[in-house]
Amino acid sequence: MRKTIFFILLLASTLIGCKHNTDSQRQTIGGDTIQMAYARHITMIEYDKYTVVSLENPWKEGQTLQRYVLVDRKDSAWVKDLPEGTVVYTPVKSSVVFTSPHCYLLSALGAESCIKGVCDAKYINLQSIRNGVQTGHIADCGNSMNPNVERIVELRPQAMLLSPYENSNYSQLTRTGTPLILCAEYMETSALGRAEWMRFYGRLFGCGRRADSLFHVVDSTYTALKRTASRAKHRPTVITERKTGSVWYCPGGNSTMSQLLTDAGARYPFASDNHSGSLALSSETVIDKAHNADIWLFAYSGNTAPTRPDLLAEYEGYKQIKAFTEGRIFGCSNTATLYFEESTFRPDLLMRELTALFGTVPSAGYKPRYYKRI
């Protein structure tokens, strides 16, 4: 009799366990994949009551960096058996944002009011964010590499947006219990792939359709400019950046900047390189490879651009560059423009500027947004 009861209970528990597993599996069956045209490190699948977002680890092929389960806040009380992942209730109404490009994006999507705290405030050029920090409506949470965790806890944000790095340690931030949104779009190797991540961020803040619409504008504008530039008869050779100490950092051939230059109709001396990050080169190597560059582009800090004598005082070898001797040098201020804020999610704006500078797309009446002639 005891054996009979035991087996009945065992069978019942097994059936219950099977039913639970079946229900859990059912939650991840039949979803609709949101097709990403360019992004390679993110996958989004919409189910009836939630969306699963998987971020591929860009440093370890085949591994997952993070998985999120986005649940509409109004459904949170009765949605059960969620798949594995960090649950984020949407729309996020309060957040701490660690980088200025994401501040810009939220502003562009009409969700700037959801920014309750920022890191690296002194590097943010968006006037509305700066005003918010000055008035205290937006908290200054310190350095992004060493944030003020106590201040973040006081804000009780519903999400934190930060850029991950290989082997990063977020233990202090994780202990706050706030979902960490790992913004790894900068590891995409195409400008449009990087920008397409806005569709994920839009869904976090309840403006997914607006994000999809904005990306459509970015994609169509960028693609049209690229198509026109590809038919240009003249393709100028372009070199970027400046010597820093003993090193000249140039974009790798697989970087988004290298692709932008090529798409805008330029010839980039290091385009055949297969690195997606920066190349740490000697000045001799750069001059040897790019001395015949028709155009020289670089960024600088502050509101005052360096003069030609300033550049020669920095490195006399600059005079060997064709663009220097012929006066086709263009500088972009990191502090007086929104270049850094905008270029991640609005590469179409940068593309428009580059094609105008290169003369590969008709640009009568165009007023420079970022670069000014030195």
Side-chain angles (χ1 to χ4, degrees):
M1 182 65 179
R2 289 181 179 178
K3 288 184 178 180
T4 301
I5 294 173
F6 171 78
F7 283 117
I8 290 173
L9 292 173
L10 178 62
L11 178 61
S13 64
T14 302
L15 290 173
I16 291 171
C18 289
K19 182 179 185 304
H20 175 76
N21 290 336
T22 301
D23 287 345
S24 296
Q25 291 169 0
R26 190 179 296 121
Q27 296 291 334
T28 56
I29 295 174
D32 295 323
T33 298
I34 299 172
Q35 297 299 326
M36 304 294 277
Y38 305 96
R40 296 292 174 261
H41 297 310
I42 183 170
T43 302
M44 296 193 291
I45 304 177
E46 283 186 334
Y47 297 93
D48 186 30
K49 299 300 180 185
Y50 57 86
T51 299
V52 175
V53 181
S54 297
L55 309 186
E56 178 185 302
N57 191 323
W59 300 283
K60 296 180 181 178
E61 189 175 350
Q63 294 188 24
T64 299
L65 179 67
Q66 187 60 280
R67 193 181 196 212
Y68 301 101
V69 182
L70 311 187
V71 179
D72 194 307
R73 198 173 298 281
K74 70 178 186 298
D75 299 330
S76 60
W78 53 275
V79 174
K80 306 298 182 183
D81 296 318
L82 292 171
E84 183 180 354
T86 298
V87 177
V88 184
Y89 295 107
T90 63
V92 171
K93 293 297 184 182
S94 64
S95 63
V96 173
V97 182
F98 281 51
T99 69
S100 57
H102 298 94
C103 288
Y104 165 80
L105 177 63
L106 293 183
S107 179
L109 294 177
E112 187 176 300
S113 62
C114 300
I115 302 174
K116 303 304 181 184
V118 295
C119 287
D120 296 333
K122 64 181 180 180
Y123 298 117
I124 297 176
N125 294 332
L126 280 168
Q127 194 58 51
S128 56
I129 300 296
R130 297 175 79 118
N131 291 343
V133 172
Q134 289 173 1
T135 60
H137 289 94
I138 297 176
D140 182 347
C141 297
N143 188 299
S144 60
M145 302 303 291
N146 186 28
N148 188 324
V149 178
E150 291 77 11
R151 187 166 299 168
I152 292 175
V153 170
E154 290 174 359
L155 293 173
R156 301 177 65 184
Q158 296 169 351
M160 284 184 272
L161 279 67
L162 68 158
S163 295
Y165 297 95
E166 188 173 12
N167 301 319
S168 298
N169 186 340
Y170 311 110
S171 56
Q172 276 192 312
L173 294 174
T174 301
R175 283 197 290 270
T176 66
T178 301
L180 303 185
I181 308 302
L182 303 184
C183 305
E185 77 283 330
Y186 76 95
M187 290 299 293
E188 295 284 346
T189 56
S190 73
L192 289 176
R194 188 172 60 177
E196 196 170 19
W197 279 57
M198 72 170 70
R199 302 178 66 197
F200 166 41
Y201 304 131
R203 282 160 173 78
L204 281 174
F205 289 87
C207 44
R209 289 186 179 180
R210 193 176 302 170
D212 289 347
S213 178
L214 177 58
F215 180 71
H216 175 72
V217 171
V218 172
D219 182 14
S220 58
T221 304
Y222 185 104
T223 302
L225 289 167
K226 175 183 175 181
R227 188 182 303 114
T228 302
S230 69
R231 297 193 292 265
K233 294 181 179 179
H234 174 63
R235 293 173 59 86
T237 298
V238 178
I239 186 65
T240 69
E241 311 314 324
R242 290 156 61 187
K243 184 174 177 288
T244 303
S246 61
V247 180
W248 192 322
Y249 293 99
C250 293
N254 281 338
S255 66
T256 54
M257 190 59 186
S258 173
Q259 184 197 58
L260 270 161
L261 295 172
T262 302
D263 288 349
R267 300 181 190 278
Y268 179 53
F270 301 101
S272 60
D273 173 81
N274 59 7
H275 293 87
S276 58
S278 294
L279 304 175
L281 305 172
S282 67
S283 54
E284 292 79 13
T285 298
V286 177
I287 296 296
D288 180 64
K289 188 82 171 177
H291 65 276
N292 65 340
D294 301 296
I295 294 174
W296 180 17
L297 306 175
F298 60 75
Y300 61 89
S301 298
N303 297 321
T304 305
T307 63
R308 289 162 61 85
D310 290 336
L311 292 172
L312 288 181
E314 178 180 287
Y315 176 54
E316 193 173 353
Y318 289 150
K319 65 183 179 182
Q320 299 178 55
I321 302 174
K322 178 182 175 183
F324 183 91
T325 59
E326 297 185 357
R328 289 190 293 273
I329 312 167
F330 298 88
C332 172
S333 170
N334 285 329
T335 52
T337 72
L338 294 179
Y339 176 90
F340 184 67
E341 280 86 352
E342 293 178 338
S343 59
T344 295
F345 297 107
R346 293 303 305 270
D348 57 318
L349 299 178
L350 179 55
M351 183 70 158
R352 183 71 186 91
E353 179 122 328
L354 294 178
T355 56
L357 287 178
F358 302 163
T360 53
V361 172
S363 57
Y366 176 77
K367 295 182 179 180
R369 190 181 188 92
Y370 307 116
Y371 289 96
K372 292 185 178 180
R373 199 164 198 156
I374 301 296

